[in-house]
């Protein structure tokens, strides 16, 4: 329902002809820009490249394995992102089976960080109704170690002021796939801004549909990024989630 937006697609080594055909369809839409990044997959670098191509005051990071539920989802995110004391705003995400994938993130779960209310039915409000109320969080839409090890990938839907994103130097490219958005949110908190979870912007996140599960070398890479995250944020992790 929100009309004033642009779409920047960062193309990274796609091989399916259907994707190429879709890009041709998008070519006639003045709101869409397709940027090609030919390096190896680095979620942080790819998004940093995309940000340089944007013109807007606000950035909305959106994975290609999501599906919007709430028609006014952008307004719901934007109404809080406009506040001077807010850095990032995250949405409520569901798995395809209508259970919760993300309702905010708590640091320290599993030694790193974890989503709240994972696998709880979407119609449940959760402990103290926290799955269904607007609130400040340490991080939102974070990549983290799920109890069921479904995936460890980066944030699916996150809005942030472009000025604040640039103030914290964007996504840390040393986190190639995982934990870059948790890191971003903690950098934002260090600057004195709030990170907010809103349950009124709802999307499905078909997690790992694009890049697959974390197994073999992917799992070893994730473990290296976890160790890097622990080294970088040891003081905050030791102190516990505020």
């Amino acid at each position: 329902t929100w009309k004033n937006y642009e779409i920047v697609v960062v193309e990274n080594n796609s091989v399916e002809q259907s994707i190429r055909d879709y890009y041709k369809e998008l070519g006639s839409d003045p709101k869409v820009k397709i940027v090609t990044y030919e390096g190896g997959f680095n979620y942080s670098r790819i998004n940093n490249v995309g940000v340089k191509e944007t013109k807007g005051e606000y950035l909305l990071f959106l994975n290609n394995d999501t599906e919007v539920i709430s028609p006014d989802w952008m307004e719901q995110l934007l109404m809080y992102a406009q506040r001077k004391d807010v850095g990032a705003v995250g949405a409520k995400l569901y798995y395809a089976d209508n259970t919760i994938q993300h309702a905010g993130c708590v640091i320290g779960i599993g030694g790193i960080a974890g989503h709240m209310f994972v696998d709880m039915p979407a119609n449940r409000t959760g402990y103290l109704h926290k799955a269904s109320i607007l609130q400040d969080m340490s991080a939102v839409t974070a990549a983290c170690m799920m109890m069921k090890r479904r995936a460890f990938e980066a944030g699916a839907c996150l809005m942030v002021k472009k000025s604040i994103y640039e103030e914290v130097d964007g996504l840390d490219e040393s986190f190639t796939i995982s934990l870059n958005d948790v890191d971003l949110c903690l950098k934002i908190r260090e600057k004195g801004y709030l990170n907010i979870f809103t349950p009124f912007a709802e999307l499905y996140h078909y997690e790992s549909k694009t890049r697959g599960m974390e197994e073999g070398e992917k799992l070893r890479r994730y473990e290296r990024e976890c160790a890097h995250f622990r080294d970088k944020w040891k003081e905050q992790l030791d102190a516990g989630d505020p």
Side-chain angles (χ1 to χ4, degrees), residues 118-176:
V118 172
D119 289 334
M120 191 177 75
N123 59 2
R124 294 272 302 278
T125 61
Y127 173 71
L128 294 177
H129 305 293
K130 280 183 170 287
S132 300
I133 58 174
L134 181 88
Q135 61 202 287
D136 302 337
M137 306 295 299
S138 285
V140 288
T141 41
C144 54
M145 185 159 46
M146 308 282 181
M147 292 184 66
K148 290 194 175 180
R149 219 193 78 175
R150 276 181 160 154
F152 314 123
E153 66 178 90
C157 175
L158 182 148
M159 181 180 282
V160 61
K161 291 187 185 77
K162 188 173 183 178
S163 59
I164 293 176
Y165 188 83
E166 292 171 341
E167 182 180 345
V168 299
D169 297 322
L171 288 165
D172 184 341
E173 295 179 12
S174 65
F175 294 103
T176 58

Side-chain angles (χ1 to χ4, degrees), residues 54-163:
T54 61
K55 302 172 186 172
E57 187 179 347
Y58 298 88
L59 305 170
L60 173 56
F61 297 95
L62 189 65
N63 279 16
N64 62 350
D65 55 358
T66 56
E67 179 183 349
V68 173
I69 299 170
S70 310
D72 64 343
W73 66 296
M74 276 199 246
E75 293 98 312
Q76 293 293 339
L77 295 169
L78 188 59
M79 73 168 73
Y80 301 107
Q82 291 181 94
R83 281 172 37 183
K84 291 181 179 179
D85 58 343
V86 170
V89 186
K92 189 173 185 179
L93 306 178
Y94 304 109
Y95 292 116
D97 63 358
N98 286 305
T99 58
I100 292 173
Q101 187 257 342
H102 170 268
C105 183
V106 174
I107 60 173
I109 294 178
I112 303 292
H115 292 185
M116 294 174 63
F117 305 111
V118 172
D119 289 334
M120 191 177 75
N123 59 2
R124 294 272 302 278
T125 61
Y127 173 71
L128 294 177
H129 305 293
K130 280 183 170 287
S132 300
I133 58 174
L134 181 88
Q135 61 202 287
D136 302 337
M137 306 295 299
S138 285
V140 288
T141 41
C144 54
M145 185 159 46
M146 308 282 181
M147 292 184 66
K148 290 194 175 180
R149 219 193 78 175
R150 276 181 160 154
F152 314 123
E153 66 178 90
C157 175
L158 182 148
M159 181 180 282
V160 61
K161 291 187 185 77
K162 188 173 183 178
S163 59

Side-chain angles (χ1 to χ4, degrees), residues 40-52:
F41 187 82
N42 181 316
Y43 183 90
S44 300
R45 187 173 301 142
I46 288 168
N47 279 285
N48 287 337
V49 166
V51 166
K52 292 177 182 177

